[in-house]
Amino acid sequence: MKNKFRFFEFLMLCSFAFVATSCDDDDPPQGGPKPPTEFTLITEVSNVKATGADIKIIPSDDDTPYFHAVLPAEGLKDLSDENLLTRLGKENMTATRGIYTITAEKMDQTSPLDPETEYLLCAYHDKLLKKEFFTTATPDYDVVIDSKFCDMSYWADFHKVGMDNYTLYMGTADHEGLYIKGEGEFVMFSLTGPHLENYMDAKVLPGTFVFNSDPTFKEMTLVGMECSRIVYGPEKDQNGYFIETKYRFTGGTLKIEEVNGTYKVRFAGVLDNNETICINYDGNVSFMNNYANLIPTQIDANKEFTCGYGEAAAQEGNVYSMDLMTGEDPAQGGGWTLRDRMQVILRAEGDGTAIPDGTYPIEAGAKLNAAEPGDFALVDNSSYVFGSYYYFVTEEFDSTYGFFKSGNVTVKREGEIYHIKVDAVDANGFTIKASYDGKLKLYNDRENAARAFLGMDRLNPRSK
């Protein structure tokens, strides 16, 4: 099925084959040329179901290649053979040799057809064209859902298998994300697709996705363990929430087609109570790049400020962490938001009672007498920030970062007073210049290193 040629490429192939055969003068004569045998094709369509049919194509010999396809008949039925061949030459057809067969069951699993739709089976070679029209049957499902919405989200390589993951939500229940606000149906699918080198290229992914009950995460499949149908209501519990009835899928196929800028989405499958189910949607698909939303927002200008308050901690491994910020002690007023702040991680030998004096270059590699650069990591589709960085937190607790990549941090202590200067360049080339002069509340956390403002801070956990 993967060996696809365009029509003109097939003609070129035949021309080259003819030249190669006619130029072979070393072949011994075989009693004179044989009369050419006319190549013929026979097409058969039977056992027509709602989403497939038994199809068989029989050529007159097994060596001559030919092309075949099953296409929606709309727009093709009234074309002359010549115009149809021209149209087919512009499509990606399948080239094969010998007898071709596919069953209705196999078609339903790999490339399901739409119910109650007329299709054209065509097979051709050179100027020989065989056509056969058939109409798929009316489906008979136990459950039919005409979805009012279709939301798709992109999660990149969520399962760490070298393929990207998408979630698709369909149904009839009024909702906001995963928050259900009214009674009705809510169906969740998890899809696998090809890995994108640039996550910003993510968009609605069309194609045919076959249900996969095993956790093997094959490409263009439905991740069976992450697909479910939930019916909310109409009854409510004592707390006023709609009672949920949850079903799992045991099989099925999801097909997403783009049609003139909108989408046609169809799912046909089986539930764990042995009921058959069909879900239909036609219209716009709401798309969200959730993976891109996990990337921390970063500064777009230079920063220069004077800090009025600072805390620090001595941790295991000769690590000293400082949290420096503008304004006064947050405990005395003003809170922790709406101020320029820095987390600075230094490595130096000491007894944990004071931060050693010195100039600490910002260098990677957990080096002594150096400051750790800052960065972020996406782990299990959650975002973490760590190391040394500038940050600003809004009242809505949205943060903007400047991750230190180079520069220096200078520390000098006179009695209880610290003089700290930061001259850093972030990952995008913006400078962060800051100073602090004053007492530094120092916690010796070497026996209890987990403090709220130190280490790796988790951001935006994925709710799937």
Side-chain angles (χ1 to χ4, degrees), residues 181-366:
K181 301 193 294 184
E183 67 178 276
E185 301 271 358
F186 193 81
V187 182
M188 297 182 287
F189 294 111
S190 177
L191 325 176
T192 60
H195 177 63
L196 299 175
E197 294 300 323
N198 185 349
Y199 62 86
M200 293 304 295
D201 292 335
K203 57 184 179 181
V204 175
L205 180 65
T208 300
F209 304 85
V210 180
F211 187 87
N212 182 14
S213 58
D214 301 322
T216 52
F217 307 107
K218 295 178 181 178
E219 188 172 314
M220 302 302 286
T221 60
L222 295 172
V223 183
M225 61 185 179
E226 296 182 347
C227 299
S228 61
R229 169 201 174 205
I230 307 175
V231 181
Y232 289 89
E235 295 82 9
K236 296 182 179 181
D237 62 17
Q238 63 271 22
N239 297 315
Y241 295 106
F242 288 107
I243 294 175
E244 301 179 10
T245 305
K246 192 170 186 177
Y247 303 87
R248 293 288 185 182
F249 296 101
T250 59
T253 302
L254 175 73
K255 188 175 181 181
I256 303 173
E257 292 182 281
E258 184 176 0
V259 182
N260 299 324
T262 61
Y263 291 88
K264 185 176 183 179
V265 184
R266 299 288 183 271
F267 174 79
V270 182
L271 297 165
D272 55 5
N273 62 353
N274 293 322
E275 288 186 325
T276 58
I277 182 171
C278 177
I279 308 172
N280 304 300
Y281 176 79
D282 292 275
N284 294 318
V285 175
S286 172
F287 182 81
M288 180 175 292
N289 191 330
N290 282 51
Y291 184 83
N293 293 340
L294 292 174
I295 305 299
T297 303
Q298 298 182 50
I299 60 175
D300 57 5
N302 298 330
K303 301 293 179 180
E304 187 168 359
F305 53 92
T306 300
C307 298
Y309 179 77
E311 293 185 358
Q315 297 179 284
E316 288 292 335
N318 296 310
V319 173
Y320 293 86
S321 302
M322 297 188 295
D323 190 14
L324 307 173
M325 65 196 75
T326 57
E328 60 181 343
D329 183 348
Q332 303 301 318
W336 296 88
T337 61
L338 299 178
R339 58 174 80 201
D340 296 303
R341 295 176 65 179
M342 293 181 297
Q343 176 172 283
V344 182
I345 307 296
L346 308 176
R347 292 183 182 272
E349 291 182 321
D351 59 10
T353 61
I355 300 176
D357 288 0
T359 297
Y360 297 84
I362 299 169
E363 297 179 358

Side-chain angles (χ1 to χ4, degrees), residues 430-452:
F430 296 108
T431 59
I432 298 104
K433 297 180 183 292
S435 62
Y436 175 72
D437 298 286
K439 293 181 179 181
L440 194 64
K441 187 182 294 185
L442 180 64
Y443 300 88
N444 192 335
D445 281 353
R446 290 187 172 175
E447 293 181 357
N448 181 20
R451 284 189 50 75

